[in-house]
Amino acid sequence: MKKRLNEKKPWYRLDLSAIVYPTLQRKNFSSVYRLSVVLKEKVEPDLLQRAVDETLPRFPTFKVAMRKGVFWRYLEPNDRPGPFVEPDIANPCMPMSFQNSSRYLIRIYYYEKRISLEVFHSLSDGGGAMYLLRTMTAVYLRLKGHPIPVGQGVLDLMEEPDAEELEDAYFRYASSKVRPPRSREKTYRIRGTREPFYTLNIITGVLPVQQVLSAARTYQVSVTEYLNAVLLYALLQKQKDDRVFRELPVSIAMPVNLRRFFPSKTLRNFITMVYPAIDPRMGDYTFEEIVLQVHHFMRYYINNKFLNADITTNAAVTRNPFIRVVPLFFKDIVIRQFYKRVQDKQSSAGLTNLGIIETPEEMKAHIERFDVLMGQPFSARTNCAVVSFGEILSISFASSIVEADVERMFFRKLVQDGIHVKIESNRKTEVR
Amino acid sequence: MSYCVNCGVELHETCSVCPLCHTEVHNPRHPADENAPKPFPVRQGAVAPVQKADVLILISVVLAVTAGVCGLLNLLIFYGTYWSLYVIGGCVLLWVFCLPMFLPKISPYVSILLDGGGIAMYFGIIAWLHPGRGWYPDLAVPLTVLATGLILLFAVCVRQIHASILSCAALLLAETAVYTIAVELLIDRFRQTPPGLTWSAIVLTCCVIIDAALITILRHSRLREEVRRRMHI
Ligand SMILES: [Zn+2]
């Protein structure tokens, strides 16, 4: 007992992107996203709980509680009992209080064949949390008697956590000597009726990967570029149908996984945002022109030089000694206002593509598909999350408004391009 | 397995309406399967209310200890005057003010009443320690009671009737006018001068003019919309 008292308790600074999310916390909003895996058999909650208990110690940055310092927030290891698996709910990604009884910032749900992991965004981005979900699922499948090896996204529970998994990789790579200025142009905001609190409208489209690939190939672009173009196309059409007084550019906030460009094993946030946009004030774009515009934008900006400049700009703010000594509550006000007035207005919708999810070969037979949900949007709009596994590409919209116009135009365009789309939703589907 | 005739997307077997366009599904071969598991559960989740009881207990203990220590010091060492009553009264007042922050379920009307009672009590302590001239029953008590009553009335309007911002502003102005008049009349009575409106008449005039304008705006819906559009926050 005495030894434990002398032992230094580790703690973690919030990484560069993680700082923003707690300041946006409201009674009815938290930056929480959800990763799900759909298995081929019904989930057994007892085994799942055991899998969670066995897996979590391997992921110290997920077994934490949020604490307030004088100047910054930080994460502290959390040894309270939990987190406990729960039956799933109709309104995923509901707010997560830092003061909840167990202090955990992750939640695990089960429903029929699906296991869902909800994570507060300060802990990790989707890429990092996907390691936790895959390892947890592998442990669960092992408990069910299937031999699952480690590797390809499944971490070894016997291993000590690697220091690189816990690092804030931004500071290791932020080294640009110039900091390009940011555009602060206002963009089109979706008009819609806000749903009441405790409602998150989900529409998931399940698509065959091969058909999406061949559709993207006909335009000679990647799947991400193609889906971005389709979403921009839907938003442009929506703006036209809204009969706005003055047209504005339509833009998408897309997180880029920086691990692809700057090698790091970090399980924490390592993403940055890019904003592909189309300005209809320059004239009417055809879909082919949108695709081309997005394609060139992505090729121009998404490379290690431009991304380095971007994260250096972000890092400069938290490195500035004058900013560092400002008390936390004051920082909260400023960051929150900046987000509300500038950052949130920079995009009309969000789109994230987690790409192809790798798992060990032995695991593939037990998994139907993965789903990702970007979580409750900060302002009234819809966010789109894409993930693919095996033969299935899953696109999930999470929206806080009643109207499903953007979703409808988006999926109709995919159908027009010859892609088979299967729709699942939690929206109330009674006959009106 | 059915397709939406309007969108061309395949729908989950439990869908009786297309989630994208609300077109009904009529497929005689495959009617919507109501019994199959839905893609998402129907159980509604809610966030457990935050437990702040521990903070309340901590604050209560700190305040109680402060009050107790001052009381003992006053009784045993620094006796002479009852100075510790100020500290004890202050602690009670602070505790009453903090109550709604940690017990969100407490009715706001009850907490306003408690606040009013606390302030009256503190004035009572001052009056008891500095007796004389009867300012406590003549001025402090009626003014506190009136202020509490007016604030309660305002709270009822905002919470129960869901009055608009403009009508709230009108009510607030009217209450200000009433309160200033009451202050002047009570001071006159206290000084035993004949009652009359002097400085409060200025406040009253301003309030009446602005209130008249506000009520005119409120009664004309078009004007009201215009003001709302130009002045929205
Ligand atoms: Zn439809």
Side-chain angles (χ1 to χ4, degrees), chain A residues 87 90-91 198 412 420-421 423, chain B residues 3 6 10 43-45 47:
Chain A
N91 48 319
Y198 280 139
R412 272 190 193 165
H420 180 271
V421 179
I423 295 287
Chain B
Y3 284 79
N6 189 35
E10 187 190 335
R43 187 176 77 94
Q44 195 78 18
V47 182

Side-chain angles (χ1 to χ4, degrees), chain A residues 108-172:
Chain A
I108 297 126
Y109 292 107
Y110 61 90
Y111 176 71
E112 297 288 329
K113 299 172 185 169
R114 188 172 62 211
I115 302 171
S116 301
L117 169 70
E118 289 186 0
V119 181
F120 190 78
H121 214 319
S122 287
L123 303 192
S124 176
D125 55 24
M130 198 44 106
Y131 280 92
L132 174 59
L133 180 65
R134 279 180 290 183
T135 309
M136 207 163 73
T137 312
V139 174
Y140 170 79
L141 289 171
R142 275 180 212 145
L143 288 173
K144 286 201 76 173
H146 308 292
I148 308 283
V150 295
Q152 282 170 304
V154 175
L155 300 188
D156 188 356
L157 294 189
M158 296 300 140
E159 226 172 47
E160 279 293 305
D162 191 335
E164 202 179 318
E165 291 172 9
L166 316 178
E167 73 168 346
D168 179 351
Y170 287 105
F171 285 101
R172 187 143 66 93

